[in-house]
Amino acid sequence: MASYLEEYGQQEARRARWIRRVTLILLVVLAGSAVAYFTLRNYREKQRLEAFFTLLKHGDYPAAYTFWGCSVEQPCRDYSYQKFLEDWGPEGVYGKHLAQIDRGRMHSCPEGVIQILQAGNEEVWLWVDRGTLQLSYAPWPVCNPRIPASSLRGE
């Protein structure tokens, strides 16, 4: 009878330890997954923007123009290579401020990413499409165009 009482409660204690360990492992995995998701969800789009700015810094404007889905040989209908150079070229509106462009604000949308750049006194909203990774100007400052931009800026 003594051996029966010696093992009394040990099985429940083992089960409780096992449940605690499994719960802790699941919590760590969930927390790690959440951190990885919020850290890496826009990774490809950020890399695309960095590659675009690197090409601009090196003066490879024809290659940078291809990030917009266009080429010098086949320019976009609404965004010609000449207009691209006026915007992003060495003397362009944004190109001359390229060294001090602030890339702090980014909005993640289901279809893409809106990167808000501060180029001198101007704000530039760039859109990176998730599917094609093509750049364009964002037609609105947030994912939902029904939200007025003034409410985002705190005006």
Side-chain angles (χ1 to χ4, degrees), residues 61-78:
Y61 300 107
Y65 186 55
T66 62
F67 281 44
W68 294 72
C70 315
S71 69
V72 177
E73 296 79 25
Q74 293 182 331
C76 292
R77 185 189 75 188
D78 297 325

Side-chain angles (χ1 to χ4, degrees), residues 131-149:
T132 63
L133 293 179
Q134 285 185 354
L135 299 177
S136 65
Y137 292 109
W140 51 81
V142 292
C143 302
N144 186 351
R146 294 184 192 122
I147 297 174

Side-chain angles (χ1 to χ4, degrees), residues 44-45 48 66-69 111 127-135:
R44 290 178 15 173
E45 293 79 8
R48 187 69 169 181
T66 62
F67 281 44
W68 294 72
E111 301 86 20
W127 172 260
V128 183
D129 187 88
R130 284 196 196 280
T132 63
L133 293 179
Q134 285 185 354
L135 299 177

Side-chain angles (χ1 to χ4, degrees), residues 68-114:
W68 294 72
C70 315
S71 69
V72 177
E73 296 79 25
Q74 293 182 331
C76 292
R77 185 189 75 188
D78 297 325
Y79 196 51
S80 68
Y81 183 66
Q82 187 60 37
K83 178 63 178 153
F84 175 80
L85 289 178
E86 289 174 15
D87 291 343
W88 297 101
E91 297 302 317
V93 177
Y94 313 122
K96 60 185 168 190
H97 298 289
L98 194 59
Q100 63 257 32
I101 283 183
D102 176 27
R103 290 172 258 194
R105 294 181 291 164
M106 181 177 274
H107 296 285
S108 184
C109 306
E111 301 86 20
V113 170
I114 298 172

Side-chain angles (χ1 to χ4, degrees), residues 12-27:
E12 288 81 12
R14 274 189 241 124
R15 183 180 301 130
R17 278 194 307 269
W18 183 82
I19 290 173
R20 254 182 282 147
R21 286 179 185 157
V22 168
T23 304
L24 182 63
I25 289 170
L26 285 175
L27 287 174

